[in-house]
Amino acid sequence: MLDQNKADTIGRAVEDGFDAQIAFTQDLIRFPSMRGQEHDVQDFVFDALKERGYATTRLHMDQRAIEAHEGGGKFSAEHSDAPIVIGTFTPSKTLGRSLILQSHTDVVPAGPHEMWRFDPFDPQIDGDWLYGRGGADMKAGHAAMIFAMDALRAAGLVPAARVEIQSVVEEESTGNGALMTYLARHTADAVLIPEPEEEMLVRANVGTLWFSVELRGTPVHVREMGAGANAIDAAYRVIQSLRTLEARWNNNRHKHKYFNDLSHPINLNIGKIEGGDWGSSVPAWCRIQCRIAIYPGIKAADAANDIEAHLTEFAKSDNYLSDIPPKITFNGFFAEGYVQPPGSEAEAVLDRAHRAATGAPLQSFTTPGYLDCRVYRLYNDIPSLCYGPISENIHGFDERVSLQSLKRITTTMALFIADWCGTTKI
Ligand code: ZN
């Protein structure tokens, strides 16, 4: 347990470094690091870690190893080839417990920029809010992990155990970046990932699957439309059918601890639709891109079989689809959900740090979106703490993060590191 003096000194160091931390967060946001475009921001992080004296390394995705793993997302042409960047601090003598701090630098597309109050990649502050695409999710947390470690150093302390700072990619599409760190045998006694989680601990989290459904027909002139099968019309029927699958899975929520109280934990998103060639031909093809969630404890492969069986059955009942069945391709997330059970020592330490930083006990909740923590919980089998700042509109327009909250969670993180790893004087 930290003594009060040490905690106060660390808190002041976070406060003193906070302006620089905001500036660093803004630097990160200026990189439009959408999927496949994370190289520059990863280089920037590499340099920032090297400058601070960490042993730095770049880790590349091993497609074969990832695709052979039960939680690996299938590669597609869009898969990022940006490296994972890792900075490691190793103490001269290990006295405490080791830790991985991890954040992702990939961000989701910004959509039409004119829908934003400010340019999404020109971070602006208004009152307590810092705006920008990827600012909350999760460049604020990314900077927080680096500056929490900086604060310890400024307080004249270093962790008494190994700390790895990991900057990953592909969190928004496959989770393969975090999985790669596991496959490359990076592990520790606990992991902390500062995703924007409202200053709460994620207790349970859904898994996620991405898949496309491709429909083919016979092109004819619209005047003979009765004879031609319209692939776009068929896509509407497939979507309706997938909605019944979604409803069935939502109806199962009472069987899953931590999900009973949520009204709609399983969300099917039809994220993209494309098809047809021009206005006066009956479209011969249509492709929809889908994302669906699964409860913890359900294997991605079992859910995939369920989806395939559901659509195969539906296709048999449909005039058009029974001739040319839909083609289903799993092309991204293939991830199981996780539960971080209460009662771990890591959670007790986080609770103490959170109380010291915020004055309130740590609360936990269930989230219906993908998180990289699943890798550490399911495969490394270590306490996996997802905890980060208050935000609004992540993945939407005017994404923003609360700066006061960011300061509080940075203090929590610094105190957590000091308590979990122990400290020695520089
Ligand atoms: Zn995120």
Side-chain angles (χ1 to χ4, degrees), residues 104 137-138 171-172 195-196 370-371 395:
H104 64 87
D137 184 14
M138 63 170 301
E171 194 274 349
E172 300 287 7
E195 288 272 12
Y370 171 83
L371 291 170
H395 293 210

Side-chain angles (χ1 to χ4, degrees), residues 51-362:
E51 218 169 78
R52 286 165 165 81
Y54 294 100
T56 39
T57 171
R58 287 182 174 88
L59 182 62
H60 293 275
M61 303 267 189
D62 178 343
Q63 180 174 350
R64 246 201 358 219
I66 288 170
E67 290 190 334
H69 189 272
E70 65 168 18
K74 299 287 173 284
F75 278 54
S76 63
E78 292 80 31
H79 197 285
S80 180
D81 64 354
I84 294 151
V85 166
I86 299 175
T88 305
F89 167 81
T90 309
S92 46
K93 201 169 163 201
T94 298
L95 302 168
R97 294 164 288 203
S98 60
L99 178 65
I100 291 171
L101 299 167
Q102 193 201 78
S103 297
H104 64 87
T105 54
D106 53 318
V107 304
V108 300
H113 286 206
E114 66 272 17
M115 298 291 286
W116 286 70
R117 197 172 152 206
F118 308 110
D119 184 282
F121 299 108
D122 180 18
Q124 301 287 330
I125 295 170
D126 183 23
D128 184 45
W129 295 107
L130 170 60
Y131 287 76
R133 166 56 82 232
D137 184 14
M138 63 170 301
K139 288 170 172 176
H142 196 301
M145 65 182 185
I146 294 174
F147 278 75
M149 287 288 284
D150 285 359
L152 294 189
R153 187 172 289 267
L157 302 166
V158 288
R162 181 173 51 86
V163 177
E164 275 193 28
I165 297 181
Q166 300 180 344
S167 181
V168 303
V169 298
E170 281 285 322
E171 194 274 349
E172 300 287 7
S173 38
T174 56
N176 283 347
L179 184 63
M180 191 62 227
T181 68
Y182 160 75
L183 293 170
R185 300 184 194 286
H186 287 259
T187 194
D189 295 321
V191 63
L192 175 59
I193 301 186
E195 288 272 12
E197 301 296 359
E198 309 298 305
E199 300 186 10
M200 290 190 278
L201 174 71
V202 175
R203 175 69 66 213
N205 179 237
V206 293
T208 304
L209 280 87
W210 270 18
F211 59 97
S212 70
V213 183
E214 214 172 321
L215 303 152
R216 298 238 169 239
T218 315
V220 295
H221 192 281
V222 278
R223 71 186 173 209
E224 298 157 35
M225 198 171 147
N230 186 317
I232 292 178
D233 283 344
Y236 276 88
R237 298 197 297 279
V238 164
I239 291 169
Q240 279 315 311
S241 169
L242 286 171
R243 290 284 170 218
T244 65
L245 175 86
E246 179 191 29
R248 171 156 64 82
W249 286 6
N250 273 303
N251 288 338
N252 286 342
R253 64 185 178 279
H254 62 275
K255 294 182 196 154
H256 298 272
K257 201 177 171 190
Y258 304 117
F259 287 84
N260 205 7
D261 293 342
L262 301 185
S263 59
H264 200 274
I266 300 300
N267 290 305
L268 166 72
N269 186 50
I270 308 299
K272 190 173 172 182
I273 182 161
E274 51 191 337
D277 296 307
W278 87 321
S280 292
S281 293
V282 176
W285 67 281
C286 184
R287 186 163 43 234
I288 54 174
Q289 176 62 42
C290 313
R291 170 269 186 210
I292 197 163
I294 56 175
Y295 298 105
I298 293 177
K299 296 280 177 203
D302 292 338
N305 287 339
D306 203 356
I307 293 165
E308 277 177 326
H310 177 89
L311 283 182
T312 304
E313 202 50 42
F314 171 72
K316 282 186 201 154
S317 69
D318 186 276
N319 264 349
Y320 165 45
L321 296 169
S322 57
D323 268 356
I324 315 175
K327 184 173 169 232
I328 304 155
T329 308
F330 291 89
N331 58 1
F333 285 119
F334 206 72
E336 196 178 330
Y338 77 92
V339 171
Q340 170 58 41
S344 70
E345 177 61 15
E347 184 174 335
V349 173
L350 185 66
D351 177 49
R352 278 205 294 275
H354 175 83
R355 280 171 197 261
T358 68
L362 180 65

Side-chain angles (χ1 to χ4, degrees), residues 12-62:
R12 273 198 303 277
V14 170
E15 181 87 41
D16 291 346
F18 197 62
D19 285 347
Q21 182 180 338
I22 293 173
F24 186 89
T25 308
Q26 290 174 305
D27 288 342
L28 291 177
I29 296 170
R30 283 189 194 98
F31 292 95
S33 47
M34 272 88 72
R35 190 181 197 194
Q37 299 167 49
E38 312 93 337
H39 302 76
D40 290 347
V41 72
Q42 290 292 80
D43 284 346
F44 177 83
V45 170
F46 184 94
D47 291 345
L49 294 175
K50 200 172 180 62
E51 218 169 78
R52 286 165 165 81
Y54 294 100
T56 39
T57 171
R58 287 182 174 88
L59 182 62
H60 293 275
M61 303 267 189
D62 178 343

